[in-house]
Structures are given as structure tokens and as C-alpha cells.
Amino acid sequence: MDKFLIEGGKCLRGEVRVSGAKNAALPIIAAALLVKGPLVIDNMPALQDVNTMLKLIESMGVKIERRGDMLVSIDASSIDSHKAPYELVKTMRASILVLGPLLAHFGEAEVSLPGGCAIGSRPVDLHIRGLEAMGANIVVEEGYIRATMDGRLKGAKIFFDTVTVTGTENILMAATLAEGQTIIENAAKEPEVTDLAECLVSMGADISGAGTDTIIINGVDALHSAEHSVVPDRIETGTFLVAAAMSGGKVTTTATKPGIQEAVLQKLIEAGASIEIGEDWITLDMQGKRPKAVNITTAPYPAFPTDMQAQFAAMNCVAEGVSHVKETIFENRFMHMQEMIRMGAKILIDGNTATIEGSTQLRGAPVMATDLRASASLVMLALVVEGETLIDRIYHIDRGYENIEEKFQAIGGKITRISANH
Ligand code: UD1
């Protein structure tokens, strides 16, 4: 397994180009299953999760053509299987995103039931109930969700009692080909849902209200080929900006979308950063200062994202003052904190709230990455505290950050990948 060796105590300065968003790319790849004929996707990030999703639909007979670094053309005309097997789903929960499109287009789908994961139990009951409300017959047996439908799915009114991002996306995709109107209430408002909706509209879908909590979809008989560019990754953007703030440095993120970054930017300003914004760039300047600790509470968009919680926890470990970090989305998303404590962080965890006392005494230590964003937070902390840190199990980070070590190296981070066969 690859590891990162990091020499800390560095101030980060320079420019980082942000990649396309993982959480938009994955549903958009699944959306290609809704149409016979190519869906051409630009700004596709080079990530392990994207490879897994492409491998998954390739295993169903779908044709994938990579044209250059960021362009992928997907053609589902040659599909000959409607099954997402356990071997692939167990490596990536977002595989569940093929359920809605397969069922809507082909009248059947068999998707391995995703298990628990490091950050919590993460059920998919809302995806299943939504599709059942649209007339699907669904049984869960032998570890698989087996869904069938005679004819087209039927439009329905679907109320989610919990805001679910991939649940909203599954129903949104399924509804594009359903008969009649579907109304999703308490829908996820995440920009990645909006990006998927924009892609579907360019494929001929009739959707309104994406980005609000009520999405209305009028089903159409068929979708058509289209081209779409994936929205920039707001979590990657935030990760580099927070890293810069922790180091007292100045970093510009380019090819990004500032308008979808409000909650995070506001917290960075509260931490003492100067922020400058252009059409597709954000500059954070900390002017050599130590950040002030900030309280955060995670919640669905547009509130503070759970996918930025670990990074802000890392900042609070070295910031001035005491902070409270409250996680309301996933029940077990504090695993990175145990590793931070090994580096000298002062953290007390009580249920879903962590109290962090900022300190200047942290030092590098051998640590283990536990999930994607947790891994990023350990890299950030290791880059700014004194001493050497060896981070094990960094395969988590490759799932969702494109060339993270090269991007950090380019802004002055001392980070080296030690590959397993080294
Ligand atoms: C997506 C993101 C992930 C992010 C999360 C929350 C992708 C590929 N992943 O994950 O990066 O951290 O949103 O912003 O986009 N729930 C149920 N039943 C369901 C579905 C969800 O109870 O059927 C619960 C979950 O356990 C969780 C909450 O709803 O507590 C939100 O989860 P959800 O939005 O569905 O997360 P994902 O879509 O899996």
C-alpha cells in the first residue's frame, strides 16, 4: 500500500488548478445509461472513484472512449447486462447511482446492496422507497437489490424525510424517462445535483427546480446524446484554501466556481483570512497569521458541508482558541481525530461534537488514513506542523483527489509518495 512521507513546517504559496467534482462526475457517468448514443463528458477528474464507476458500466457492456486527459465519451447502446456486482460496489458506495438509470431505461436492475462504511451505516432505503413509489418492484435478496418494472416507471410525488444527495440523484435520473410528472420534495440542493440536472436537460430531460428543495420532472419518451462539462470540485477547492490558511500562506485556486463555496469561505474569513474572488478563481491570503479557531456544524447544502469537516478540524487543531465541531450528517465521522491526537492535537469527543483546543505543540507522527476526507485532513496537518509524518493507507485519498501530492508540491508542500513496490 502506498504511503505519504511529509516534512512539515511549510508555508503554502502559489496556484492550484481545481479538477472536476467527483460527486458530480459519478452521477453524470451513471446518467449515460439513460441514453443510446454517446454522452461526452468534459472536465472529468482523474480519480480512482471515476475509474471504478467507468469499470462498473464497462462491465455491463457499455463502450468507454477516453479522449485526452479530461474528456470521456460513454455509449450505452451496446449494454448487455444490468448488474452491478458486489466486487465493485463494495469498493465504492456511489455505485448505487446506476440503480435508477438502469431501471428507468431497461426495466430491470440488479445492484449489490452497499454495506456500511468507515463513516457510518449509510442506508439506501430512501432510494428504494422512491423507486417503489414510481411503481418498481424491488426485492432485497442474497445481498442484492433486484428491481424490475413492466413498462415505464410512473411519475410520483416523493418526499424524502432525510435530505439525501445520491437518493435525490437516483430518483431524478429515473424520473426523466418515467411516464408523467415526478415531484421530489425535500430534495438535496447540492451543486452536484444541479450539475447532474443541467447535464440531463442537455440530454433532453424536462426538469425544473434543481438547486431548490422541490424538483419537478416531466418524463420524456427518450433522451439523446449530449456534451457536458463537470462542475469544479468545491471540496477540493476548500481543501487547498484551508491548507493555505493553516500554513499562514497565500494560495489561489483556479478553474473553480466561487458561488458554490459560501459556507466555507465565510468560515475562512472568520478564521482571519483575506479572500479575493474572481469569476473562476479564489485567492486566500493569511498574511503569515495563525488562524483563529472557528465553530462548525455540518448540514446539507447550502450549510457547512460534512465533506469539509475533517479539514476544518485540522485547522482548528493548530488555530488560536477553542472550537466546537458538530457532525450532524454521519454518525462516525471523527476517525481522523484519533490520528490527529497522535500528532499532539487536543481534542475531546462527546457524541457528535468535538471540542478542539488549538495548540502550537503538534508534531509529525506515523498515522493512518481512514476515509477520503480524513486522509486529506491528515495531509494538511502534516504539511504545516513541525517534523515528519508518514501517512499509511493513502489509497483513500486517491479515490477523490487528483494528483494531490503534485498539487501540494507546486505550492511548497514537502510531500512524497512512497509506493508499495518501492
Ligand atoms: C453524498 C456524497 C458524500 C457526502 C454526502 C453528504 C456522493 C457520491 N457522495 O453521499 O460525499 O458526504 O452526500 O453530503 O455524492 N440516508 C438514509 N437513507 C438513505 C440515504 C441516506 O438514511 O436511503 C442518510 C445517510 O445515512 C446520511 C444522510 O442520509 O445520514 C445523508 O446521506 P446522503 O446525502 O444520502 O449521502 P450520500 O448520497 O451517500
Side-chain angles (χ1 to χ4, degrees):
M1 266 184 280
D2 289 6
K3 297 182 173 69
F4 278 147
L5 181 64
I6 297 173
E7 196 192 310
K10 301 286 178 284
C11 181
L12 303 177
R13 291 185 170 278
E15 218 175 90
V16 179
R17 187 197 179 277
V18 171
S19 303
K22 167 178 89 73
N23 287 354
L26 298 178
I28 287 169
I29 293 171
L33 297 172
L34 289 164
V35 57
K36 290 195 177 71
L39 176 63
V40 179
I41 311 170
D42 201 358
N43 203 29
M44 181 71 88
L47 303 171
Q48 200 47 49
D49 273 7
V50 163
N51 291 341
T52 305
M53 198 69 172
L54 291 173
K55 201 164 136 193
L56 173 63
I57 60 169
E58 208 166 22
S59 77
M60 298 172 185
V62 172
K63 262 210 251 96
I64 315 257
E65 199 191 318
R66 286 180 185 270
R67 306 190 201 148
D69 284 352
M70 294 190 291
L71 201 69
V72 179
S73 170
I74 305 177
D75 189 340
S77 335
S78 53
I79 195 163
D80 55 17
S81 153
H82 306 134
K83 179 170 178 172
Y86 175 68
E87 294 68 44
L88 288 170
V89 177
K90 75 172 183 199
T91 65
M92 190 185 67
R93 300 180 44 82
S95 312
I96 189 74
L97 285 164
V98 300
L99 180 63
L102 284 176
L103 183 63
H105 193 179
F106 306 104
E108 61 171 20
E110 194 177 347
V111 180
S112 173
L113 193 64
C117 73
I119 62 175
S121 64
R122 299 183 81 173
V124 289
D125 55 311
L126 298 170
H127 302 231
I128 294 176
R129 268 194 267 150
L131 292 170
E132 279 175 341
M134 298 174 80
N137 305 304
I138 302 189
V139 288
V140 179
E141 54 188 10
E142 296 162 345
Y144 277 82
I145 304 166
R146 297 197 166 113
T148 51
M149 180 71 203
D150 261 344
R152 288 169 72 181
L153 289 167
K154 307 272 178 291
K157 194 165 180 175
I158 292 162
F159 172 78
F160 285 125
D161 57 14
T162 303
V163 176
T164 162
V165 175
T166 49
T168 300
E169 291 166 345
N170 242 334
I171 301 303
L172 173 61
M173 289 189 278
T176 58
L177 291 180
E179 201 180 313
Q181 188 175 72
T182 299
I183 301 176
I184 309 177
E185 286 183 341
N186 202 23
K189 301 192 281 271
E190 269 64 4
E192 294 75 24
V193 176
T194 309
D195 197 42
L196 169 66
E198 281 170 13
C199 175
L200 292 168
V201 167
S202 71
M203 292 161 73
D206 178 350
I207 301 170
S208 58
T212 75
D213 51 18
T214 305
I215 306 180
I216 299 170
I217 307 113
N218 292 305
V220 296
D221 292 341
L223 298 177
H224 52 70
S225 288
E227 284 186 29
H228 183 78
S229 183
V230 176
V231 69
D233 198 318
R234 66 196 163 101
I235 306 300
E236 189 195 12
T237 305
T239 299
F240 282 102
L241 294 177
V242 175
M246 290 167 71
S247 79
K250 180 178 179 184
V251 166
T252 298
T253 50
T254 62
T256 191
K257 193 170 174 183
I260 56 176
Q261 213 64 57
E262 280 302 319
V264 162
L265 293 182
Q266 201 181 309
K267 285 291 164 188
L268 286 167
I269 291 167
E270 201 182 314
S274 306
I275 301 278
E276 215 186 314
I277 286 173
E279 197 184 329
D280 65 351
W281 55 266
I282 304 171
T283 297
L284 175 142
D285 190 355
M286 208 62 197
Q287 289 147 349
K289 286 178 301 191
R290 183 180 173 200
K292 291 197 247 340
V294 291
N295 294 330
I296 58 169
T297 300
T298 65
Y301 189 86
F304 188 91
T306 174
D307 287 349
M308 283 301 298
Q309 179 255 102
Q311 299 88 320
F312 272 80
M315 183 181 83
N316 284 343
C317 287
V318 295
E320 194 183 327
V322 175
S323 59
H324 301 286
V325 173
K326 188 169 176 190
E327 173 58 58
T328 76
I329 308 287
F330 295 114
E331 77 259 29
N332 192 25
R333 209 173 191 178
F334 281 160
M335 308 246 288
H336 44 281
M337 296 195 184
Q338 300 303 338
E339 303 299 307
M340 291 171 177
I341 289 170
R342 303 193 64 256
M343 297 170 77
K346 295 183 180 156
I347 306 176
L348 267 180
I349 297 173
D350 181 12
N352 68 350
T353 303
T355 302
I356 304 177
E357 189 187 333
S359 161
T360 51
Q361 304 300 311
L362 275 77
R363 294 289 175 270
V367 291
M368 191 125 77
T370 49
D371 70 61
L372 171 55
R373 306 304 168 186
S375 318
S377 70
L378 294 175
V379 168
M380 295 156 70
L381 201 54
L383 284 168
V384 302
V385 305
E386 293 296 331
E388 207 175 79
T389 296
L390 189 65
I391 308 185
D392 201 353
R393 304 210 174 166
I394 56 160
Y395 57 85
H396 290 291
I397 217 165
D398 295 329
R399 291 187 41 203
Y401 287 93
E402 181 175 330
N403 295 332
I404 193 164
E405 71 267 38
E406 283 168 32
K407 290 189 182 185
F408 271 126
Q409 282 158 4
I411 55 173
K414 276 274 195 191
I415 171 168
T416 318
R417 183 180 291 255
I418 303 175
S419 48
N421 46 14
H422 197 251

